[in-house]
Amino acid sequence: MKCKHFYIISVFAVGIIYLILMYGRVLQNPNSVMAANSGDGLKNYYVFAYPLANNGSISNTQCYNYPYGESSLYTDSHPVVLFTASILSGIFPAIKTCPVGIINFLMVISLLFTFLILYLLISKFVANRWYCLLYAFSITLLQPQIDRMAGHFALSYSCAIPLTWYLALNFYEKNRKWFSLSLLIVNCIFWFFIHPYLGAMTFAFVILFDFYLILFKKEFRNKGNVLQALIKAIVPIFIYFLITNLTDHHTGRTTFPWGFFVLNAKPESIFLPTYGAYADVLNQFLKFNRKWEGTAYIGIVATICFVVFVYRGIANLFQRKKQERKTTKNTPAFFAPAMFAAIVLLLFSMNIPIGGAFSFLLDGLPFLKMFRVVGRFSWPFFYVISVFTAVWIFAWAQKFESKKIIYTALLFLAPAVTICEAIPYQKMIRNWFQTKNVFLEENAPPICRIISEKINPQTYQALIPIPYYHTKSDNSQKNANEETVFVSHLVAFYLDLPLTACESSHTSIWETQNQLQLFSPDFYEKRIEKDISSPKKFLVLFNTTDPELSDYEKDFLKKADSLFSFENFVVMEINPEKMFETKTTDYLRDFESKQASLVPYGNFLLSRKDSSVFSVDYNDSQSKLKFLGASIFEPSTPNKTQFAEIEPDRLKKDTEYEASFWVYVGGKNYGQDKLSWMLSIEQNDDITLLQREGRDTPVFYEDWALEKFRFRIENESMPVRFFIFKRANKTRETTMQLDELVVRPVDVDVYRILQKDKQGNVNRLYKNGDIIVAE
């Protein structure tokens, strides 16, 4: 017992020394620095800091997506930690002032627990404690979740998977089965509420572990084990979905987010290095399709070991060991269920067998379609194969136990090589945690201090950043540059103002579209108006240098009143009345005043004669769905399909054109698969004039969205062809429907009278793609 305590103390000592050397600055003052101040890093600090420091709601935080808010379960805010910290802040108010410190400390200290748990895991199978310590340390240094400390903080807890494996082993080793069962269930639930991916990985690992034992081992095929396996399979997922359904009141989240067939793992991201000289040399001679989201490099030693493992087969590999130690259950034979679970998850992370010609299988597995980044499921394989390698090398080295030098060299060499491979990863870490904590007032950017001094937040109900951003809802979204995102997050934090913008995933489709519709022309009714009850003004933060600014946003800014400017930003305000004011009557009267001077052109009226105007109404199609005419265009396949062609010599090389058309966004779950397409305008196989995805439009009319794209041609003697095709990760469920394609020179207005009232007045008008309806 004393010897065991000595090695545990040694593990803590080595781990603490490592943390001090690598993260000394963080441990000295966790709240003083940040691991990242942009992208997901800033966002993940913000979604934890805002509700904690500003007394926000935990279940539905207003840090994003005002007036609807967003569930903390979808913001990567460490929900269980946030909930705990919020409760404790009532007793210890100082907690509210150190949200960044809490996250930093938990990320760093989790490395110590990873080291300890890996040591305990390896020591279950290896008698040499110093070897266990050294190899556990090497695995901790190389583990793939270290990358997540630069942004995906809730995914950085590398102790999650080893702990789950350790608890699963204890469950089968100890007599107190129900106590061990409770620990396993609590463990899975805990990780679900740290991050759903960690919960899903640990949950799947336990289920697959049990499945293997019950299916292939008769001694475990009894009513007690089956019952307990069912409890493990039902209780964690039931509690997770119960709490999610009780606390998340948002509807219309996509059930098939983008990324399943894109953000996956590849063999080279598992068996070839990501960083270091070795990786640089390989990249010079070989072309890899390495996916960062699927990176889980196991090291060259483990790679060699895995090749041998595959060659010999699991049964042959462990057969001799079982004969040597029949009396103990915690033998390497227990690697079989762990290896089975890890390999199944590895195959899933590579889209095997769900991928390629078998992608249709996913249509029958809706629960799997919820995962955007399946490449992360390669992580359990890293830990299992790494521990397996440690055990296998020790067993092999024992053959040379009588030759102390060879024996010692073999035990030292494998972890030493792994540590050397981990050095580039560790050097990368040194560049992190260098940024001052901008959530502390003394480190806030000058723009935040100026706004805090000049603005009374009680006057406003929310903050609108322009250019606007609302990302990761899959169907509709808009991006802004990092400076706009960075400053707007901090201004919202310091003023305690909700953001109408959003940087969270899986957001509600209809809520996102309502947010984007704020910037639609003032002849469209804004659906979000009915959801905003406060008469207070909105504060507008305009980045004058952001290249993402759209024409729609320029028109929105004309309605706002400027307060002051500082550096690249203009601070403005806008009344809700102006935001939601509609002027359809003015536009219809303007048309009537011009109507006599307009030039007839087919079904259209042009502001001037121009034969290059091109249109297709698709009334001859066979689709049952209608929009402005008798039918619409609906491709028979989601593959690349041509939907229009303009003959040669019709468009001019020195003219800028605008192509506009309407796409159907209605259907199942708010049309979740309707905007998942790409547009390509081409003149030849090797001349692509434009390729864009259609998701950032703010114009919605009934169940249709207006898309506008500007382009120039390169060769007048070539035809111009228009193609539409599905985005990379969608299955056969994807449907694409469009109508009313019009191509016009940008300086030519195109009108079409859609409807007149009984008095003969135009009350429904088409203008340059837009539809104007009388009030």
Side-chain angles (χ1 to χ4, degrees), residues 213-228:
L213 288 175
I214 293 173
L215 188 64
F216 297 108
K217 303 290 182 180
K218 290 183 179 180
E219 61 268 33
F220 295 102
R221 203 177 303 153
N222 55 67
K223 291 182 180 180
N225 278 335
V226 172
L227 173 62
Q228 290 171 330

mmCIF file of all heavy atoms in Angstrom, residues 213-228:
data_model
loop_
_atom_site.group_PDB
_atom_site.id
_atom_site.type_symbol
_atom_site.label_atom_id
_atom_site.label_comp_id
_atom_site.label_asym_id
_atom_site.label_seq_id
_atom_site.Cartn_x
_atom_site.Cartn_y
_atom_site.Cartn_z
ATOM 1 N N LEU A 213 -18.919 -7.757 -24.691
ATOM 2 C CA LEU A 213 -18.833 -8.778 -23.646
ATOM 3 C C LEU A 213 -20.059 -9.681 -23.644
ATOM 4 O O LEU A 213 -19.943 -10.912 -23.524
ATOM 5 C CB LEU A 213 -18.675 -8.107 -22.279
ATOM 6 C CG LEU A 213 -17.316 -7.451 -22.006
ATOM 7 C CD1 LEU A 213 -17.343 -6.716 -20.678
ATOM 8 C CD2 LEU A 213 -16.195 -8.496 -22.014
ATOM 9 N N ILE A 214 -21.231 -9.085 -23.791
ATOM 10 C CA ILE A 214 -22.462 -9.882 -23.759
ATOM 11 C C ILE A 214 -22.587 -10.744 -25.007
ATOM 12 O O ILE A 214 -23.053 -11.891 -24.947
ATOM 13 C CB ILE A 214 -23.677 -8.956 -23.605
ATOM 14 C CG1 ILE A 214 -23.651 -8.288 -22.225
ATOM 15 C CG2 ILE A 214 -24.984 -9.714 -23.804
ATOM 16 C CD1 ILE A 214 -24.705 -7.228 -22.025
ATOM 17 N N LEU A 215 -22.124 -10.228 -26.131
ATOM 18 C CA LEU A 215 -22.264 -10.960 -27.392
ATOM 19 C C LEU A 215 -21.229 -12.071 -27.539
ATOM 20 O O LEU A 215 -21.540 -13.172 -28.027
ATOM 21 C CB LEU A 215 -22.147 -9.984 -28.568
ATOM 22 C CG LEU A 215 -22.453 -10.557 -29.961
ATOM 23 C CD1 LEU A 215 -23.915 -10.985 -30.038
ATOM 24 C CD2 LEU A 215 -22.143 -9.524 -31.037
ATOM 25 N N PHE A 216 -20.005 -11.822 -27.087
ATOM 26 C CA PHE A 216 -18.920 -12.764 -27.371
ATOM 27 C C PHE A 216 -18.410 -13.528 -26.141
ATOM 28 O O PHE A 216 -17.606 -14.446 -26.301
ATOM 29 C CB PHE A 216 -17.739 -12.020 -28.010
ATOM 30 C CG PHE A 216 -18.078 -11.413 -29.339
ATOM 31 C CD1 PHE A 216 -18.218 -10.037 -29.467
ATOM 32 C CD2 PHE A 216 -18.271 -12.208 -30.463
ATOM 33 C CE1 PHE A 216 -18.529 -9.469 -30.695
ATOM 34 C CE2 PHE A 216 -18.583 -11.658 -31.693
ATOM 35 C CZ PHE A 216 -18.711 -10.282 -31.812
ATOM 36 N N LYS A 217 -18.830 -13.153 -24.950
ATOM 37 C CA LYS A 217 -18.346 -13.822 -23.739
ATOM 38 C C LYS A 217 -19.529 -14.413 -22.967
ATOM 39 O O LYS A 217 -20.354 -13.684 -22.420
ATOM 40 C CB LYS A 217 -17.592 -12.829 -22.840
ATOM 41 C CG LYS A 217 -16.415 -12.131 -23.519
ATOM 42 C CD LYS A 217 -15.281 -13.097 -23.775
ATOM 43 C CE LYS A 217 -14.102 -12.395 -24.408
ATOM 44 N NZ LYS A 217 -12.983 -13.319 -24.677
ATOM 45 N N LYS A 218 -19.593 -15.731 -22.933
ATOM 46 C CA LYS A 218 -20.730 -16.393 -22.289
ATOM 47 C C LYS A 218 -20.852 -16.052 -20.812
ATOM 48 O O LYS A 218 -21.953 -15.968 -20.276
ATOM 49 C CB LYS A 218 -20.593 -17.907 -22.460
ATOM 50 C CG LYS A 218 -20.810 -18.384 -23.885
ATOM 51 C CD LYS A 218 -20.733 -19.904 -23.962
ATOM 52 C CE LYS A 218 -20.964 -20.382 -25.391
ATOM 53 N NZ LYS A 218 -20.892 -21.863 -25.488
ATOM 54 N N GLU A 219 -19.694 -15.902 -20.142
ATOM 55 C CA GLU A 219 -19.736 -15.645 -18.701
ATOM 56 C C GLU A 219 -20.397 -14.317 -18.352
ATOM 57 O O GLU A 219 -20.801 -14.087 -17.205
ATOM 58 C CB GLU A 219 -18.325 -15.702 -18.099
ATOM 59 C CG GLU A 219 -17.347 -14.677 -18.644
ATOM 60 C CD GLU A 219 -16.536 -15.194 -19.816
ATOM 61 O OE1 GLU A 219 -17.077 -16.013 -20.593
ATOM 62 O OE2 GLU A 219 -15.366 -14.784 -19.961
ATOM 63 N N PHE A 220 -20.497 -13.418 -19.330
ATOM 64 C CA PHE A 220 -21.141 -12.130 -19.084
ATOM 65 C C PHE A 220 -22.563 -12.098 -19.626
ATOM 66 O O PHE A 220 -23.246 -11.083 -19.508
ATOM 67 C CB PHE A 220 -20.327 -11.008 -19.741
ATOM 68 C CG PHE A 220 -18.961 -10.834 -19.154
ATOM 69 C CD1 PHE A 220 -17.840 -11.331 -19.808
ATOM 70 C CD2 PHE A 220 -18.802 -10.204 -17.940
ATOM 71 C CE1 PHE A 220 -16.575 -11.182 -19.271
ATOM 72 C CE2 PHE A 220 -17.533 -10.048 -17.389
ATOM 73 C CZ PHE A 220 -16.416 -10.544 -18.054
ATOM 74 N N ARG A 221 -22.998 -13.219 -20.206
ATOM 75 C CA ARG A 221 -24.320 -13.258 -20.824
ATOM 76 C C ARG A 221 -25.335 -13.779 -19.813
ATOM 77 O O ARG A 221 -25.842 -14.891 -19.919
ATOM 78 C CB ARG A 221 -24.272 -14.137 -22.072
ATOM 79 C CG ARG A 221 -25.359 -13.840 -23.091
ATOM 80 C CD ARG A 221 -25.183 -14.714 -24.321
ATOM 81 N NE ARG A 221 -23.865 -14.534 -24.911
ATOM 82 C CZ ARG A 221 -23.235 -15.460 -25.616
ATOM 83 N NH1 ARG A 221 -23.778 -16.645 -25.792
ATOM 84 N NH2 ARG A 221 -22.037 -15.209 -26.125
ATOM 85 N N ASN A 222 -25.634 -12.971 -18.812
ATOM 86 C CA ASN A 222 -26.615 -13.339 -17.809
ATOM 87 C C ASN A 222 -27.582 -12.185 -17.592
ATOM 88 O O ASN A 222 -27.351 -11.061 -18.041
ATOM 89 C CB ASN A 222 -25.930 -13.730 -16.495
ATOM 90 C CG ASN A 222 -25.001 -12.643 -15.992
ATOM 91 O OD1 ASN A 222 -25.454 -11.562 -15.615
ATOM 92 N ND2 ASN A 222 -23.693 -12.908 -15.998
ATOM 93 N N LYS A 223 -28.658 -12.467 -16.892
ATOM 94 C CA LYS A 223 -29.715 -11.466 -16.730
ATOM 95 C C LYS A 223 -29.208 -10.214 -16.031
ATOM 96 O O LYS A 223 -29.590 -9.089 -16.374
ATOM 97 C CB LYS A 223 -30.881 -12.066 -15.945
ATOM 98 C CG LYS A 223 -31.643 -13.132 -16.705
ATOM 99 C CD LYS A 223 -32.815 -13.651 -15.881
ATOM 100 C CE LYS A 223 -33.582 -14.729 -16.647
ATOM 101 N NZ LYS A 223 -34.731 -15.256 -15.853
ATOM 102 N N GLY A 224 -28.345 -10.392 -15.032
ATOM 103 C CA GLY A 224 -27.845 -9.244 -14.292
ATOM 104 C C GLY A 224 -27.040 -8.307 -15.167
ATOM 105 O O GLY A 224 -27.257 -7.090 -15.155
ATOM 106 N N ASN A 225 -26.118 -8.870 -15.936
ATOM 107 C CA ASN A 225 -25.300 -8.032 -16.809
ATOM 108 C C ASN A 225 -26.119 -7.385 -17.910
ATOM 109 O O ASN A 225 -25.897 -6.225 -18.267
ATOM 110 C CB ASN A 225 -24.167 -8.867 -17.424
ATOM 111 C CG ASN A 225 -22.994 -9.023 -16.478
ATOM 112 O OD1 ASN A 225 -22.781 -8.198 -15.597
ATOM 113 N ND2 ASN A 225 -22.240 -10.099 -16.639
ATOM 114 N N VAL A 226 -27.062 -8.146 -18.463
ATOM 115 C CA VAL A 226 -27.911 -7.594 -19.522
ATOM 116 C C VAL A 226 -28.759 -6.452 -18.970
ATOM 117 O O VAL A 226 -28.899 -5.398 -19.612
ATOM 118 C CB VAL A 226 -28.794 -8.694 -20.141
ATOM 119 C CG1 VAL A 226 -29.821 -8.076 -21.103
ATOM 120 C CG2 VAL A 226 -27.946 -9.714 -20.876
ATOM 121 N N LEU A 227 -29.336 -6.641 -17.779
ATOM 122 C CA LEU A 227 -30.147 -5.594 -17.165
ATOM 123 C C LEU A 227 -29.320 -4.338 -16.917
ATOM 124 O O LEU A 227 -29.755 -3.216 -17.235
ATOM 125 C CB LEU A 227 -30.743 -6.097 -15.850
ATOM 126 C CG LEU A 227 -31.491 -5.052 -15.013
ATOM 127 C CD1 LEU A 227 -32.695 -4.519 -15.784
ATOM 128 C CD2 LEU A 227 -31.920 -5.647 -13.671
ATOM 129 N N GLN A 228 -28.129 -4.529 -16.352
ATOM 130 C CA GLN A 228 -27.282 -3.369 -16.062
ATOM 131 C C GLN A 228 -26.792 -2.696 -17.339
ATOM 132 O O GLN A 228 -26.653 -1.468 -17.392
ATOM 133 C CB GLN A 228 -26.099 -3.808 -15.196
ATOM 134 C CG GLN A 228 -26.540 -4.177 -13.792
ATOM 135 C CD GLN A 228 -25.438 -4.811 -12.970
ATOM 136 O OE1 GLN A 228 -24.555 -5.477 -13.509
ATOM 137 N NE2 GLN A 228 -25.491 -4.627 -11.653
#
